[in-house]
PDB file of all heavy atoms in Angstrom:
ATOM      1  N   LEU A   1      86.539 114.450 119.891  1.00 83.00           N
ATOM      2  CA  LEU A   1      85.685 113.296 119.945  1.00 83.00           C
ATOM      3  C   LEU A   1      85.873 112.493 118.667  1.00 83.00           C
ATOM      4  O   LEU A   1      85.811 111.185 118.694  1.00 83.00           O
ATOM      5  CB  LEU A   1      84.282 113.681 120.219  1.00 83.00           C
ATOM      6  CG  LEU A   1      83.241 112.571 120.430  1.00 83.00           C
ATOM      7  CD1 LEU A   1      83.683 111.672 121.590  1.00 83.00           C
ATOM      8  CD2 LEU A   1      81.859 113.084 120.653  1.00 83.00           C
ATOM      9  N   PHE A   2      85.815 113.267 117.499  1.00 79.00           N
ATOM     10  CA  PHE A   2      85.935 112.549 116.275  1.00 79.00           C
ATOM     11  C   PHE A   2      87.283 111.719 116.175  1.00 79.00           C
ATOM     12  O   PHE A   2      87.279 110.496 115.823  1.00 79.00           O
ATOM     13  CB  PHE A   2      86.029 113.514 115.046  1.00 79.00           C
ATOM     14  CG  PHE A   2      86.329 112.961 113.752  1.00 79.00           C
ATOM     15  CD1 PHE A   2      85.267 112.432 112.958  1.00 79.00           C
ATOM     16  CD2 PHE A   2      87.575 113.114 113.127  1.00 79.00           C
ATOM     17  CE1 PHE A   2      85.568 111.812 111.783  1.00 79.00           C
ATOM     18  CE2 PHE A   2      87.880 112.606 111.895  1.00 79.00           C
ATOM     19  CZ  PHE A   2      86.888 111.843 111.219  1.00 79.00           C
ATOM     20  N   PHE A   3      88.412 112.299 116.531  1.00 78.00           N
ATOM     21  CA  PHE A   3      89.663 111.490 116.572  1.00 78.00           C
ATOM     22  C   PHE A   3      89.641 110.392 117.448  1.00 78.00           C
ATOM     23  O   PHE A   3      90.132 109.253 117.239  1.00 78.00           O
ATOM     24  CB  PHE A   3      90.853 112.459 116.814  1.00 78.00           C
ATOM     25  CG  PHE A   3      91.037 113.535 115.949  1.00 78.00           C
ATOM     26  CD1 PHE A   3      91.195 114.926 116.285  1.00 78.00           C
ATOM     27  CD2 PHE A   3      91.021 113.297 114.572  1.00 78.00           C
ATOM     28  CE1 PHE A   3      91.338 115.895 115.407  1.00 78.00           C
ATOM     29  CE2 PHE A   3      91.299 114.298 113.709  1.00 78.00           C
ATOM     30  CZ  PHE A   3      91.331 115.661 114.083  1.00 78.00           C
ATOM     31  N   MET A   4      88.971 110.527 118.665  1.00 84.00           N
ATOM     32  CA  MET A   4      88.863 109.387 119.576  1.00 84.00           C
ATOM     33  C   MET A   4      87.977 108.266 118.954  1.00 84.00           C
ATOM     34  O   MET A   4      88.269 107.010 119.127  1.00 84.00           O
ATOM     35  CB  MET A   4      88.233 109.923 120.843  1.00 84.00           C
ATOM     36  CG  MET A   4      89.104 110.712 121.765  1.00 84.00           C
ATOM     37  SD  MET A   4      88.385 111.369 123.237  1.00 84.00           S
ATOM     38  CE  MET A   4      88.411 109.784 124.117  1.00 84.00           C
ATOM     39  N   ALA A   5      86.896 108.651 118.246  1.00 82.00           N
ATOM     40  CA  ALA A   5      85.909 107.749 117.700  1.00 82.00           C
ATOM     41  C   ALA A   5      86.681 106.964 116.500  1.00 82.00           C
ATOM     42  O   ALA A   5      86.386 105.680 116.319  1.00 82.00           O
ATOM     43  CB  ALA A   5      84.824 108.383 117.037  1.00 82.00           C
ATOM     44  N   ILE A   6      87.656 107.599 115.913  1.00 76.00           N
ATOM     45  CA  ILE A   6      88.510 106.882 114.849  1.00 76.00           C
ATOM     46  C   ILE A   6      89.203 105.750 115.590  1.00 76.00           C
ATOM     47  O   ILE A   6      89.273 104.646 115.087  1.00 76.00           O
ATOM     48  CB  ILE A   6      89.426 107.711 114.113  1.00 76.00           C
ATOM     49  CG1 ILE A   6      88.775 108.822 113.411  1.00 76.00           C
ATOM     50  CG2 ILE A   6      90.487 106.962 113.254  1.00 76.00           C
ATOM     51  CD1 ILE A   6      88.052 108.356 112.216  1.00 76.00           C
ATOM     52  N   GLY A   7      89.790 106.078 116.802  1.00 79.00           N
ATOM     53  CA  GLY A   7      90.538 105.001 117.509  1.00 79.00           C
ATOM     54  C   GLY A   7      89.603 103.854 118.003  1.00 79.00           C
ATOM     55  O   GLY A   7      89.916 102.752 118.014  1.00 79.00           O
ATOM     56  N   LEU A   8      88.343 104.316 118.427  1.00 82.00           N
ATOM     57  CA  LEU A   8      87.407 103.315 119.008  1.00 82.00           C
ATOM     58  C   LEU A   8      86.873 102.471 117.843  1.00 82.00           C
ATOM     59  O   LEU A   8      86.673 101.162 118.191  1.00 82.00           O
ATOM     60  CB  LEU A   8      86.202 104.119 119.546  1.00 82.00           C
ATOM     61  CG  LEU A   8      86.389 104.899 120.836  1.00 82.00           C
ATOM     62  CD1 LEU A   8      85.162 105.832 121.100  1.00 82.00           C
ATOM     63  CD2 LEU A   8      86.408 103.836 121.958  1.00 82.00           C
ATOM     64  N   SER A   9      86.735 102.891 116.639  1.00 75.00           N
ATOM     65  CA  SER A   9      86.261 102.089 115.580  1.00 75.00           C
ATOM     66  C   SER A   9      87.308 101.139 114.911  1.00 75.00           C
ATOM     67  O   SER A   9      86.989 100.375 113.992  1.00 75.00           O
ATOM     68  CB  SER A   9      85.577 102.966 114.533  1.00 75.00           C
ATOM     69  OG  SER A   9      86.567 103.798 114.005  1.00 75.00           O
ATOM     70  N   LEU A  10      88.536 101.191 115.392  1.00 75.00           N
ATOM     71  CA  LEU A  10      89.539 100.410 114.807  1.00 75.00           C
ATOM     72  C   LEU A  10      89.303  98.882 115.131  1.00 75.00           C
ATOM     73  O   LEU A  10      89.173  98.469 116.324  1.00 75.00           O
ATOM     74  CB  LEU A  10      90.932 100.848 115.323  1.00 75.00           C
ATOM     75  CG  LEU A  10      92.175 100.151 114.782  1.00 75.00           C
ATOM     76  CD1 LEU A  10      92.212 100.242 113.236  1.00 75.00           C
ATOM     77  CD2 LEU A  10      93.326 100.535 115.463  1.00 75.00           C
ATOM     78  N   ASP A  11      89.241  97.989 114.251  1.00 76.00           N
ATOM     79  CA  ASP A  11      88.981  96.666 114.420  1.00 76.00           C
ATOM     80  C   ASP A  11      90.316  95.974 114.591  1.00 76.00           C
ATOM     81  O   ASP A  11      91.083  95.662 113.630  1.00 76.00           O
ATOM     82  CB  ASP A  11      88.334  96.058 113.212  1.00 76.00           C
ATOM     83  CG  ASP A  11      87.818  94.627 113.486  1.00 76.00           C
ATOM     84  OD1 ASP A  11      88.320  93.916 114.442  1.00 76.00           O
ATOM     85  OD2 ASP A  11      86.810  94.262 112.883  1.00 76.00           O
ATOM     86  N   LEU A  12      90.780  95.722 115.865  1.00 79.00           N
ATOM     87  CA  LEU A  12      92.037  95.171 116.095  1.00 79.00           C
ATOM     88  C   LEU A  12      92.200  93.752 115.656  1.00 79.00           C
ATOM     89  O   LEU A  12      93.191  93.350 115.288  1.00 79.00           O
ATOM     90  CB  LEU A  12      92.358  95.179 117.681  1.00 79.00           C
ATOM     91  CG  LEU A  12      92.728  96.579 118.247  1.00 79.00           C
ATOM     92  CD1 LEU A  12      92.998  96.462 119.750  1.00 79.00           C
ATOM     93  CD2 LEU A  12      93.892  97.141 117.437  1.00 79.00           C
ATOM     94  N   GLU A  13      91.066  93.059 115.601  1.00 82.00           N
ATOM     95  CA  GLU A  13      91.132  91.543 115.127  1.00 82.00           C
ATOM     96  C   GLU A  13      91.493  91.528 113.734  1.00 82.00           C
ATOM     97  O   GLU A  13      92.414  90.843 113.218  1.00 82.00           O
ATOM     98  CB  GLU A  13      89.708  90.958 115.249  1.00 82.00           C
ATOM     99  CG  GLU A  13      89.384  90.746 116.695  1.00 82.00           C
ATOM    100  CD  GLU A  13      88.022  89.864 116.804  1.00 82.00           C
ATOM    101  OE1 GLU A  13      87.458  89.538 115.802  1.00 82.00           O
ATOM    102  OE2 GLU A  13      87.649  89.785 117.904  1.00 82.00           O
ATOM    103  N   VAL A  14      91.040  92.494 112.814  1.00 81.00           N
ATOM    104  CA  VAL A  14      91.497  92.581 111.481  1.00 81.00           C
ATOM    105  C   VAL A  14      92.861  92.969 111.305  1.00 81.00           C
ATOM    106  O   VAL A  14      93.652  92.490 110.607  1.00 81.00           O
ATOM    107  CB  VAL A  14      90.496  93.622 110.664  1.00 81.00           C
ATOM    108  CG1 VAL A  14      91.040  93.898 109.310  1.00 81.00           C
ATOM    109  CG2 VAL A  14      89.053  93.133 110.664  1.00 81.00           C
ATOM    110  N   VAL A  15      93.299  93.956 112.192  1.00 79.00           N
ATOM    111  CA  VAL A  15      94.705  94.361 112.174  1.00 79.00           C
ATOM    112  C   VAL A  15      95.719  93.149 112.462  1.00 79.00           C
ATOM    113  O   VAL A  15      96.725  92.974 111.885  1.00 79.00           O
ATOM    114  CB  VAL A  15      95.002  95.507 113.143  1.00 79.00           C
ATOM    115  CG1 VAL A  15      96.389  95.867 113.174  1.00 79.00           C
ATOM    116  CG2 VAL A  15      94.118  96.733 112.651  1.00 79.00           C
ATOM    117  N   VAL A  16      95.337  92.369 113.514  1.00 85.00           N
ATOM    118  CA  VAL A  16      96.145  91.267 113.963  1.00 85.00           C
ATOM    119  C   VAL A  16      96.170  90.210 112.958  1.00 85.00           C
ATOM    120  O   VAL A  16      97.265  89.671 112.604  1.00 85.00           O
ATOM    121  CB  VAL A  16      95.638  90.778 115.319  1.00 85.00           C
ATOM    122  CG1 VAL A  16      96.287  89.475 115.661  1.00 85.00           C
ATOM    123  CG2 VAL A  16      95.702  91.741 116.404  1.00 85.00           C
ATOM    124  N   GLU A  17      94.985  89.777 112.349  1.00 86.00           N
ATOM    125  CA  GLU A  17      94.920  88.813 111.307  1.00 86.00           C
ATOM    126  C   GLU A  17      95.668  89.149 110.055  1.00 86.00           C
ATOM    127  O   GLU A  17      96.199  88.275 109.344  1.00 86.00           O
ATOM    128  CB  GLU A  17      93.485  88.487 111.088  1.00 86.00           C
ATOM    129  CG  GLU A  17      92.751  87.764 112.105  1.00 86.00           C
ATOM    130  CD  GLU A  17      91.275  87.697 111.877  1.00 86.00           C
ATOM    131  OE1 GLU A  17      90.879  87.972 110.704  1.00 86.00           O
ATOM    132  OE2 GLU A  17      90.607  87.172 112.685  1.00 86.00           O
ATOM    133  N   ASN A  18      95.720  90.515 109.706  1.00 87.00           N
ATOM    134  CA  ASN A  18      96.271  90.878 108.448  1.00 87.00           C
ATOM    135  C   ASN A  18      97.548  91.921 108.745  1.00 87.00           C
ATOM    136  O   ASN A  18      97.672  92.782 107.847  1.00 87.00           O
ATOM    137  CB  ASN A  18      95.204  91.603 107.513  1.00 87.00           C
ATOM    138  CG  ASN A  18      94.003  90.656 107.288  1.00 87.00           C
ATOM    139  OD1 ASN A  18      94.059  89.815 106.360  1.00 87.00           O
ATOM    140  ND2 ASN A  18      92.980  90.791 108.066  1.00 87.00           N
ATOM    141  N   TRP A  19      98.113  91.705 109.779  1.00 87.00           N
ATOM    142  CA  TRP A  19      99.100  92.668 110.190  1.00 87.00           C
ATOM    143  C   TRP A  19     100.231  92.920 109.097  1.00 87.00           C
ATOM    144  O   TRP A  19     100.685  94.028 108.917  1.00 87.00           O
ATOM    145  CB  TRP A  19      99.671  92.431 111.559  1.00 87.00           C
ATOM    146  CG  TRP A  19     100.680  91.268 111.649  1.00 87.00           C
ATOM    147  CD1 TRP A  19     100.280  89.922 111.832  1.00 87.00           C
ATOM    148  CD2 TRP A  19     102.029  91.241 111.355  1.00 87.00           C
ATOM    149  NE1 TRP A  19     101.395  89.063 111.781  1.00 87.00           N
ATOM    150  CE2 TRP A  19     102.437  89.895 111.526  1.00 87.00           C
ATOM    151  CE3 TRP A  19     102.947  92.228 111.041  1.00 87.00           C
ATOM    152  CZ2 TRP A  19     103.823  89.530 111.308  1.00 87.00           C
ATOM    153  CZ3 TRP A  19     104.248  91.891 110.790  1.00 87.00           C
ATOM    154  CH2 TRP A  19     104.665  90.557 111.015  1.00 87.00           C
ATOM    155  N   LEU A  20     100.633  91.852 108.582  1.00 90.00           N
ATOM    156  CA  LEU A  20     101.660  91.869 107.527  1.00 90.00           C
ATOM    157  C   LEU A  20     101.273  92.623 106.294  1.00 90.00           C
ATOM    158  O   LEU A  20     101.929  93.575 105.856  1.00 90.00           O
ATOM    159  CB  LEU A  20     102.160  90.458 107.233  1.00 90.00           C
ATOM    160  CG  LEU A  20     103.455  90.413 106.391  1.00 90.00           C
ATOM    161  CD1 LEU A  20     104.576  91.052 107.204  1.00 90.00           C
ATOM    162  CD2 LEU A  20     103.851  88.917 106.033  1.00 90.00           C
ATOM    163  N   LEU A  21     100.049  92.278 105.814  1.00 90.00           N
ATOM    164  CA  LEU A  21      99.521  93.026 104.624  1.00 90.00           C
ATOM    165  C   LEU A  21      99.301  94.461 104.947  1.00 90.00           C
ATOM    166  O   LEU A  21      99.641  95.365 104.163  1.00 90.00           O
ATOM    167  CB  LEU A  21      98.097  92.294 104.315  1.00 90.00           C
ATOM    168  CG  LEU A  21      97.404  92.922 103.185  1.00 90.00           C
ATOM    169  CD1 LEU A  21      98.237  92.898 101.823  1.00 90.00           C
ATOM    170  CD2 LEU A  21      96.001  92.285 102.873  1.00 90.00           C
ATOM    171  N   ILE A  22      98.737  94.770 106.125  1.00 89.00           N
ATOM    172  CA  ILE A  22      98.495  96.240 106.485  1.00 89.00           C
ATOM    173  C   ILE A  22      99.892  96.979 106.647  1.00 89.00           C
ATOM    174  O   ILE A  22      99.947  98.047 106.207  1.00 89.00           O
ATOM    175  CB  ILE A  22      97.642  96.297 107.808  1.00 89.00           C
ATOM    176  CG1 ILE A  22      96.269  95.743 107.620  1.00 89.00           C
ATOM    177  CG2 ILE A  22      97.609  97.729 108.379  1.00 89.00           C
ATOM    178  CD1 ILE A  22      95.387  95.621 108.786  1.00 89.00           C
ATOM    179  N   ALA A  23     100.824  96.312 107.272  1.00 89.00           N
ATOM    180  CA  ALA A  23     102.113  96.878 107.510  1.00 89.00           C
ATOM    181  C   ALA A  23     102.733  97.291 106.144  1.00 89.00           C
ATOM    182  O   ALA A  23     103.599  98.235 106.079  1.00 89.00           O
ATOM    183  CB  ALA A  23     103.075  96.070 108.284  1.00 89.00           C
ATOM    184  N   GLY A  24     102.410  96.639 105.164  1.00 91.00           N
ATOM    185  CA  GLY A  24     102.896  96.946 103.790  1.00 91.00           C
ATOM    186  C   GLY A  24     102.025  97.862 103.068  1.00 91.00           C
ATOM    187  O   GLY A  24     102.545  98.823 102.331  1.00 91.00           O
ATOM    188  N   LEU A  25     100.677  97.764 103.150  1.00 92.00           N
ATOM    189  CA  LEU A  25      99.828  98.602 102.471  1.00 92.00           C
ATOM    190  C   LEU A  25      99.771 100.031 102.921  1.00 92.00           C
ATOM    191  O   LEU A  25      99.746 101.048 102.133  1.00 92.00           O
ATOM    192  CB  LEU A  25      98.287  98.076 102.607  1.00 92.00           C
ATOM    193  CG  LEU A  25      97.889  96.845 101.711  1.00 92.00           C
ATOM    194  CD1 LEU A  25      96.573  96.504 102.103  1.00 92.00           C
ATOM    195  CD2 LEU A  25      98.115  97.148 100.259  1.00 92.00           C
ATOM    196  N   VAL A  26      99.783 100.253 104.198  1.00 93.00           N
ATOM    197  CA  VAL A  26      99.687 101.659 104.735  1.00 93.00           C
ATOM    198  C   VAL A  26     100.801 102.521 104.189  1.00 93.00           C
ATOM    199  O   VAL A  26     100.663 103.596 103.616  1.00 93.00           O
ATOM    200  CB  VAL A  26      99.678 101.667 106.287  1.00 93.00           C
ATOM    201  CG1 VAL A  26      99.741 103.082 106.830  1.00 93.00           C
ATOM    202  CG2 VAL A  26      98.309 100.968 106.757  1.00 93.00           C
ATOM    203  N   PRO A  27     102.185 102.202 104.448  1.00 94.00           N
ATOM    204  CA  PRO A  27     103.212 102.948 103.887  1.00 94.00           C
ATOM    205  C   PRO A  27     103.339 103.054 102.286  1.00 94.00           C
ATOM    206  O   PRO A  27     103.487 104.219 101.831  1.00 94.00           O
ATOM    207  CB  PRO A  27     104.567 102.378 104.434  1.00 94.00           C
ATOM    208  CG  PRO A  27     104.175 100.968 104.804  1.00 94.00           C
ATOM    209  CD  PRO A  27     102.677 100.984 105.101  1.00 94.00           C
ATOM    210  N   LEU A  28     102.902 102.027 101.714  1.00 95.00           N
ATOM    211  CA  LEU A  28     102.855 102.075 100.247  1.00 95.00           C
ATOM    212  C   LEU A  28     101.805 103.049  99.786  1.00 95.00           C
ATOM    213  O   LEU A  28     102.052 103.806  98.777  1.00 95.00           O
ATOM    214  CB  LEU A  28     102.690 100.609  99.557  1.00 95.00           C
ATOM    215  CG  LEU A  28     103.869  99.666  99.660  1.00 95.00           C
ATOM    216  CD1 LEU A  28     103.503  98.401  99.130  1.00 95.00           C
ATOM    217  CD2 LEU A  28     104.912 100.306  98.810  1.00 95.00           C
ATOM    218  N   MET A  29     100.641 102.944 100.343  1.00 95.00           N
ATOM    219  CA  MET A  29      99.538 103.733  99.984  1.00 95.00           C
ATOM    220  C   MET A  29      99.872 105.257 100.193  1.00 95.00           C
ATOM    221  O   MET A  29      99.699 106.150  99.314  1.00 95.00           O
ATOM    222  CB  MET A  29      98.260 103.521 100.663  1.00 95.00           C
ATOM    223  CG  MET A  29      97.047 104.261 100.309  1.00 95.00           C
ATOM    224  SD  MET A  29      96.796 105.780 101.214  1.00 95.00           S
ATOM    225  CE  MET A  29      96.264 105.068 102.877  1.00 95.00           C
ATOM    226  N   MET A  30     100.425 105.620 101.350  1.00 95.00           N
ATOM    227  CA  MET A  30     100.789 106.959 101.745  1.00 95.00           C
ATOM    228  C   MET A  30     101.955 107.414 100.860  1.00 95.00           C
ATOM    229  O   MET A  30     101.909 108.634 100.303  1.00 95.00           O
ATOM    230  CB  MET A  30     101.303 107.013 103.214  1.00 95.00           C
ATOM    231  CG  MET A  30     100.169 106.753 104.210  1.00 95.00           C
ATOM    232  SD  MET A  30     100.635 106.794 105.904  1.00 95.00           S
ATOM    233  CE  MET A  30     100.790 108.581 106.037  1.00 95.00           C
ATOM    234  N   LEU A  31     102.875 106.553 100.458  1.00 95.00           N
ATOM    235  CA  LEU A  31     104.065 106.971  99.653  1.00 95.00           C
ATOM    236  C   LEU A  31     103.487 107.254  98.224  1.00 95.00           C
ATOM    237  O   LEU A  31     103.898 108.257  97.570  1.00 95.00           O
ATOM    238  CB  LEU A  31     105.057 105.882  99.602  1.00 95.00           C
ATOM    239  CG  LEU A  31     106.255 106.132  98.573  1.00 95.00           C
ATOM    240  CD1 LEU A  31     107.047 107.388  99.141  1.00 95.00           C
ATOM    241  CD2 LEU A  31     107.139 104.912  98.524  1.00 95.00           C
ATOM    242  N   ALA A  32     102.637 106.372  97.668  1.00 95.00           N
ATOM    243  CA  ALA A  32     102.093 106.660  96.408  1.00 95.00           C
ATOM    244  C   ALA A  32     101.231 107.890  96.386  1.00 95.00           C
ATOM    245  O   ALA A  32     101.245 108.642  95.418  1.00 95.00           O
ATOM    246  CB  ALA A  32     101.192 105.420  96.013  1.00 95.00           C
ATOM    247  N   LYS A  33     100.448 108.127  97.318  1.00 96.00           N
ATOM    248  CA  LYS A  33      99.591 109.387  97.355  1.00 96.00           C
ATOM    249  C   LYS A  33     100.524 110.599  97.357  1.00 96.00           C
ATOM    250  O   LYS A  33     100.330 111.624  96.718  1.00 96.00           O
ATOM    251  CB  LYS A  33      98.661 109.299  98.427  1.00 96.00           C
ATOM    252  CG  LYS A  33      97.422 108.626  98.319  1.00 96.00           C
ATOM    253  CD  LYS A  33      96.364 108.779  99.348  1.00 96.00           C
ATOM    254  CE  LYS A  33      95.722 110.208  99.283  1.00 96.00           C
ATOM    255  NZ  LYS A  33      94.644 110.330 100.302  1.00 96.00           N
ATOM    256  N   ALA A  34     101.493 110.503  98.228  1.00 95.00           N
ATOM    257  CA  ALA A  34     102.500 111.674  98.383  1.00 95.00           C
ATOM    258  C   ALA A  34     103.151 112.062  97.162  1.00 95.00           C
ATOM    259  O   ALA A  34     103.244 113.188  96.718  1.00 95.00           O
ATOM    260  CB  ALA A  34     103.552 111.418  99.507  1.00 95.00           C
ATOM    261  N   ILE A  35     103.489 110.956  96.374  1.00 96.00           N
ATOM    262  CA  ILE A  35     104.242 111.181  95.062  1.00 96.00           C
ATOM    263  C   ILE A  35     103.321 111.864  94.112  1.00 96.00           C
ATOM    264  O   ILE A  35     103.595 112.619  93.362  1.00 96.00           O
ATOM    265  CB  ILE A  35     104.863 109.904  94.593  1.00 96.00           C
ATOM    266  CG1 ILE A  35     106.040 109.440  95.491  1.00 96.00           C
ATOM    267  CG2 ILE A  35     105.404 110.054  93.180  1.00 96.00           C
ATOM    268  CD1 ILE A  35     106.585 108.026  95.232  1.00 96.00           C
ATOM    269  N   LEU A  36     102.141 111.337  94.063  1.00 95.00           N
ATOM    270  CA  LEU A  36     101.199 111.767  93.057  1.00 95.00           C
ATOM    271  C   LEU A  36     100.680 113.141  93.367  1.00 95.00           C
ATOM    272  O   LEU A  36     100.558 114.101  92.409  1.00 95.00           O
ATOM    273  CB  LEU A  36      99.955 110.821  92.995  1.00 95.00           C
ATOM    274  CG  LEU A  36     100.100 109.387  92.399  1.00 95.00           C
ATOM    275  CD1 LEU A  36      98.922 108.583  92.731  1.00 95.00           C
ATOM    276  CD2 LEU A  36     100.462 109.482  90.881  1.00 95.00           C
ATOM    277  N   VAL A  37     100.503 113.439  94.644  1.00 95.00           N
ATOM    278  CA  VAL A  37     100.070 114.891  95.011  1.00 95.00           C
ATOM    279  C   VAL A  37     101.243 115.770  94.689  1.00 95.00           C
ATOM    280  O   VAL A  37     100.948 116.932  94.225  1.00 95.00           O
ATOM    281  CB  VAL A  37      99.746 114.930  96.508  1.00 95.00           C
ATOM    282  CG1 VAL A  37      99.547 116.230  96.956  1.00 95.00           C
ATOM    283  CG2 VAL A  37      98.427 114.097  96.766  1.00 95.00           C
ATOM    284  N   TYR A  38     102.441 115.441  95.059  1.00 95.00           N
ATOM    285  CA  TYR A  38     103.485 116.314  94.719  1.00 95.00           C
ATOM    286  C   TYR A  38     103.633 116.531  93.323  1.00 95.00           C
ATOM    287  O   TYR A  38     103.798 117.689  92.790  1.00 95.00           O
ATOM    288  CB  TYR A  38     104.882 115.633  95.075  1.00 95.00           C
ATOM    289  CG  TYR A  38     106.114 116.406  94.792  1.00 95.00           C
ATOM    290  CD1 TYR A  38     106.633 117.369  95.572  1.00 95.00           C
ATOM    291  CD2 TYR A  38     106.899 116.026  93.660  1.00 95.00           C
ATOM    292  CE1 TYR A  38     107.777 118.080  95.196  1.00 95.00           C
ATOM    293  CE2 TYR A  38     108.032 116.643  93.186  1.00 95.00           C
ATOM    294  CZ  TYR A  38     108.438 117.819  93.998  1.00 95.00           C
ATOM    295  OH  TYR A  38     109.570 118.500  93.679  1.00 95.00           O
TER     296      TYR A  38
END
């Protein structure tokens, strides 16, 4: 139910309006964290 609630709470309007920024931020954030944790 928690994982479903994560999907339910996703604001698609924010994603659509800022899709280019999010498309860049998500992989960059994950890459930076992975490198630092490593």
Side-chain angles (χ1 to χ4, degrees):
L1 185 62
F2 172 79
F3 296 132
M4 291 181 70
I6 296 294
L8 284 167
S9 61
L10 182 64
D11 191 336
L12 284 185
E13 292 184 3
V14 172
V15 175
V16 172
E17 292 174 2
N18 302 276
W19 70 269
L20 192 59
L21 178 61
I22 292 174
L25 282 178
V26 172
L28 284 175
M29 185 269 290
M30 295 181 72
L31 179 62
K33 280 190 71 174
I35 292 173
L36 293 168
V37 170
Y38 174 84

